[in-house]
Amino acid sequence: MTKLNVETRHAVHPDHAKGMDTQTLRDNFLAQGMFADGEIRLVYTHYDRFTVGGAVPAGGSLTLDKVDETRTATFLERREMGIVNIGDAGTVEAAGETYAMNKGDVLYLGMGSGPVTFKGQGRFYITSCPAHHTHASRLITVEDAKKVEMGEAATSNKRTIKMFIHPLVMESCQLVLGYTSLEEGSVWNTMPAHVHDRRMEAYLYWGMAEESRVLHLMGEPTETRHLFVADEEAIISPTWSIHSGAGIGEYTFIWAMAGDNVDYTDMDFVQAAELR
């Protein structure tokens, strides 16, 4: 029997966030310990009902089926899902299909795909949000992704963005997903910072050394806060919050969004001089 753990995170008003101490900020906006051998662990949020989590079959098999928090027969009955393999090779089975996933590959599962089974040595990062239409499931390999190079070495933010579940690559309802890797010597992942009131976002940091950390900036542009984030930890970013940061050493972050649109460029930039 699959061991499933689900944690619920309620939405936080920005006025409430202003008064939070460090531990309260971490309790509300940082997801830790999602990747445990032989378990599926989910964080079900009240931000657009977005869900993040991890499945680590550790050579065995784990099945994600009914999740009580959604009150549906199966988790994907009214949802779509994006899965990123951040570990060794593994497989995912859904709707009678088996998808072989190498490190960095992304699998999109459309609404109504039924139970999802994870096998092998993969470390599967799970993202999911409500859907209103069934789109075709698709495996998008690293080679299939749309790649965009941004930033400059002079501003310490030279990086490569890989788009997977994205209008330039495929169709989805709400879910948009990809990841960004920093070049050697660059540390800033998103600068200038931005907000997008129409979509929430989640960041999973990975590919980091055990001792490394990313200083993740969040909060309203004139009321910024920060969290130190370790490898395989995720930030739940509300619509009112900036999301930017700088890391110690090599790292990649997976960005995943849901909300009113799938327009990746729909963001309101905040220049560094405006931040407080």
Side-chain angles (χ1 to χ4, degrees), residues 45-122:
T45 85
H46 284 233
Y47 300 104
D48 292 297
R49 302 291 165 170
F50 201 83
T51 301
V52 298
V56 187
S61 176
L62 296 170
T63 298
L64 178 58
D65 189 2
K66 184 178 176 62
V67 175
D68 288 342
E69 282 71 9
T70 65
R71 296 297 190 270
T72 52
T74 65
F75 185 57
L76 292 183
E77 182 176 314
R78 297 173 59 84
R79 286 177 159 267
E80 57 189 350
M81 179 181 288
I83 301 165
V84 187
N85 183 9
I86 63 172
D88 294 328
T91 63
V92 176
E93 299 173 5
E97 299 287 338
T98 299
Y99 303 90
M101 297 184 68
N102 294 314
K103 187 174 185 178
D105 290 345
V106 174
L107 176 63
Y108 172 80
L109 295 177
M111 182 181 70
S113 292
V116 183
T117 299
F118 305 88
K119 295 182 178 180
Q121 298 298 330

Side-chain angles (χ1 to χ4, degrees), residues 245-261:
I248 303 168
E250 183 181 4
Y251 72 97
T252 294
F253 65 97
I254 300 169
W255 40 267
M257 297 175 278
D260 272 336
N261 63 45

Side-chain angles (χ1 to χ4, degrees), residues 66-260:
K66 184 178 176 62
V67 175
D68 288 342
E69 282 71 9
T70 65
R71 296 297 190 270
T72 52
T74 65
F75 185 57
L76 292 183
E77 182 176 314
R78 297 173 59 84
R79 286 177 159 267
E80 57 189 350
M81 179 181 288
I83 301 165
V84 187
N85 183 9
I86 63 172
D88 294 328
T91 63
V92 176
E93 299 173 5
E97 299 287 338
T98 299
Y99 303 90
M101 297 184 68
N102 294 314
K103 187 174 185 178
D105 290 345
V106 174
L107 176 63
Y108 172 80
L109 295 177
M111 182 181 70
S113 292
V116 183
T117 299
F118 305 88
K119 295 182 178 180
Q121 298 298 330
R123 298 174 74 79
F124 299 100
Y125 176 53
I126 298 167
T127 65
S128 177
C129 62
H132 57 271
H133 180 80
T134 299
H135 291 283
S137 297
R138 178 179 170 185
L139 175 67
I140 311 109
T141 67
V142 176
E143 292 73 23
D144 295 332
K146 171 72 174 176
K147 299 175 181 64
V148 178
E149 294 183 356
M150 295 188 69
E152 300 176 4
T155 49
S156 302
N157 67 347
K158 190 172 177 59
R159 60 201 189 274
T160 300
I161 299 172
K162 297 184 177 72
M163 303 171 179
F164 291 83
I165 304 173
H166 188 284
L168 295 177
V169 180
M170 57 161 288
E171 282 191 289
S172 64
C173 283
Q174 289 198 76
L175 184 62
V176 179
L177 180 148
Y179 52 80
T180 302
S181 301
L182 279 294
E183 302 245 345
E184 186 175 357
S186 287
V187 296
W188 283 102
N189 58 45
T190 305
M191 186 56 69
H194 62 270
V195 296
H196 29 72
D197 191 56
R198 293 146 297 279
R199 291 173 296 155
M200 65 78 62
E201 188 165 6
Y203 271 32
L204 178 80
Y205 290 99
W206 66 292
M208 297 164 57
E210 183 177 352
E211 67 277 9
S212 294
R213 294 294 184 272
V214 169
L215 176 65
H216 181 93
L217 301 177
M218 62 161 293
E220 294 177 282
T222 57
E223 283 284 348
T224 60
R225 300 293 185 267
H226 69 268
L227 297 170
F228 280 96
V229 185
D231 189 42
E232 296 188 353
E233 294 183 346
I235 294 288
I236 299 163
S237 185
T239 60
W240 47 262
S241 177
I242 65 168
H243 32 278
S244 183
I248 303 168
E250 183 181 4
Y251 72 97
T252 294
F253 65 97
I254 300 169
W255 40 267
M257 297 175 278
D260 272 336

